[in-house]
Amino acid sequence: MADAAYVHPTPLAQVGVTGLAVMGRNLARNLARHGYTVALHNRSWDKTRALLDQFGHEGHFLAGRTMAEFVAEIDHPRVVIVMVKAGQATDDVIAELVPLLAPGDIIVDAGNAHFPDTRRRERELTALGLRFVGTGVSGGEEGALEGPSIMPGGSAEAYQLLGPMLETIAAQVDGTPCCTHIGPDGAGHFVKMVHNGIEYADMQLISEAYDLLRQGLGAGAAELAEVFADWNQGVLESYLIEITAEVLRHTDPATGQAFVDIVLDQAGQKGTGRWTVQSALDLGVPVTGIAEATFARSLSGGVAQRQAGAALPGHTNQPPLAGEHHRRDFIEQVRQALYASKIVAYSQGLEQVAAASAEYGWTVDRGALARIWRGGCIIRARFLNRITEAYERNPELPLLLADPYFFKEVTGAVPAWRAVVSWAAQAGVPVPAFASSLAYYDAIRAPRLPAALIQAQRDFFGAHTYQRTDRPGVFHTDWSGSRAEQAV
């Protein structure tokens, strides 16, 4: 590897950003606003030129038309942030960078990469003497500019160099940066993946709450906007609740209707929710809320199936609740059910992080995750402070629901939770995330599960063996013969 033959300007940049779509552009601007000299590169020079023309006054930028020019503009050890589409595009950019870099240089992949790809890239680049840091960045285009939540993986040595820069541009909450070293190799991108899975669950739960209120109260979007705005003043305070109120208030300028009523009811997804569920299956962690949210998006896009199912019977056409007292009670029940279900989603996601940390040797601090998710990211919420406190009380907490605070909060909401799910079933209103979260709660607290019958069935047809409650050991029953039991 050698430097390109390019006469670079003085002074050199402290960091480079390649890939200047919305996220890359805003991250570069964020860095410049915080006093860093930033080298810029994009496959298309037009995007580089546009950034300089529109925002060049915000700080010190250097621009390279070619990758070689771009790399030559960065001081040693070079820090190159890659902000391109996950997958092959990232591999292509890395392949172009490698011959231009020197041992000790750092490549930061700040896109939504799949964590196995990050682990592979880290191994390959480490063998070449380069440092690779897979980094989750959450907050959307506004967060990238104003201060995101940043989840860097990679080596501790790389973070010693990167940490001060990333912590400076991250969101700040109570004087604490929303950035910390997550763990080695793919830990950063794994945690960002789970963050997005929790985001799927959170959004699905909010949409189910909206649908319950819309059908249960016969209320329009403007009225429900005020309900969500009121909820945002209490324990449900969060970015997603806040923007829900804003969306519901918005009127479509073309039709004059509530904006939410003219949006096609088919939700898209970019894959991180699906990756979360696939990983959870591999790790044996029941992320039921995230799974139902992911499947709900898939179902919403199943146009042919939904058209075929439209004539199926089942909806009872219950009239909206009458009387102010009943309406207030229903709103409060939905609020409590939403809060309890949200807690389950975060609990399941953090359990998945713990399982992956043990599997891959990452030693991820779950309390630190809750702390850096308090600002900048899409799932930022007031109760993340409580989650941080729970893991400060017990860093090895096996179940967030068992923490004294969350135990009290969830058990207090159970009557309302059951009432809401029951009402939805009777009214024919689909609430897969609410219902699965309640089922998880009931299963996790059950003294005995029907898995005993499943295990007996498995032994019957496949001699898969079983264990007993009254003595240790592994056993098999001769189901096709004498039915005698033998130790295996």
Side-chain angles (χ1 to χ4, degrees), residues 37 103 153-154 191 203 244 272 339 397 422 466 472:
T37 299
V191 163
M203 294 172 72
T244 297
T272 47
Y339 186 43
L397 185 67
S422 176
Y466 54 89

Side-chain angles (χ1 to χ4, degrees), residues 208-487:
E208 289 180 13
Y210 153 75
D211 200 26
L212 284 161
L213 295 175
R214 183 176 62 88
Q215 300 204 46
L217 304 178
E223 180 181 349
L224 296 182
E226 299 313 308
V227 172
F228 280 93
D230 179 64
W231 285 357
N232 200 47
Q233 303 306 308
V235 293
L236 284 175
E237 179 189 350
S238 67
Y239 174 72
L240 286 171
I241 295 288
E242 176 187 347
I243 68 170
T244 297
E246 291 297 313
V247 168
L248 293 175
R249 285 193 184 108
H250 184 55
T251 300
D252 174 46
T255 63
Q257 297 181 61
F259 176 74
V260 71
D261 292 335
I262 58 91
V263 176
L264 188 65
D265 61 339
Q266 296 176 20
Q269 53 183 307
K270 291 187 175 180
T272 47
R274 184 166 60 250
W275 290 345
T276 305
V277 177
Q278 290 169 340
S279 167
L281 289 170
D282 291 338
L283 293 167
V285 179
V287 293
T288 55
I290 296 171
E292 288 294 350
T294 305
F295 292 140
R297 293 197 188 190
S298 299
L299 189 151
S300 76
V303 177
Q305 292 78 16
R306 291 179 65 189
Q307 288 175 344
L312 293 172
H315 200 291
T316 59
N317 293 314
Q318 289 187 206
L321 295 167
E324 188 61 28
H325 174 71
H326 291 300
R327 291 169 67 86
R328 282 200 309 268
D329 283 352
F330 188 66
I331 291 170
E332 175 58 16
Q333 286 177 334
V334 174
R335 185 195 70 81
Q336 290 186 37
L338 175 58
Y339 186 43
S341 298
K342 281 164 68 80
I343 292 170
V344 166
Y346 282 72
S347 178
Q348 290 178 345
L350 290 166
E351 182 186 350
Q352 183 174 357
V353 169
S357 184
E359 176 73 16
Y360 302 117
W362 289 338
T363 62
V364 177
D365 181 346
R366 289 171 291 171
L369 296 189
R371 186 172 63 250
I372 68 170
W373 287 345
R374 294 181 304 162
C377 70
I378 303 302
I379 64 171
R380 58 185 183 266
R382 177 191 292 190
F383 83 109
L384 284 163
N385 286 313
R386 296 292 191 174
I387 295 178
T388 299
E389 292 166 2
Y391 287 111
E392 287 174 348
R393 283 189 287 270
N394 180 5
E396 304 303 319
L397 185 67
L399 179 72
L400 184 63
L401 300 181
D403 173 77
Y405 173 81
F406 289 107
F407 179 91
K408 180 181 178 182
E409 292 293 288
V410 173
T411 54
V414 166
W417 204 0
R418 296 197 191 285
V420 166
V421 172
S422 176
W423 184 91
Q426 292 294 324
V429 178
V431 287
F434 271 40
S436 68
S437 298
L438 178 59
Y440 173 85
Y441 169 83
D442 282 332
I444 209 75
R445 70 177 187 84
R448 186 166 172 80
L449 293 169
L453 178 57
I454 293 171
Q455 197 61 12
Q457 291 170 329
R458 293 180 73 242
D459 188 62
F460 190 105
F461 66 69
H464 292 297
T465 73
Y466 54 89
Q467 294 173 292
R468 297 177 59 97
T469 61
D470 55 353
R471 62 180 184 271
V474 177
F475 302 90
H476 167 63
T477 291
D478 180 12
W479 296 101
S480 60
S482 66
R483 300 211 171 184
E485 181 181 78
Q486 63 183 28

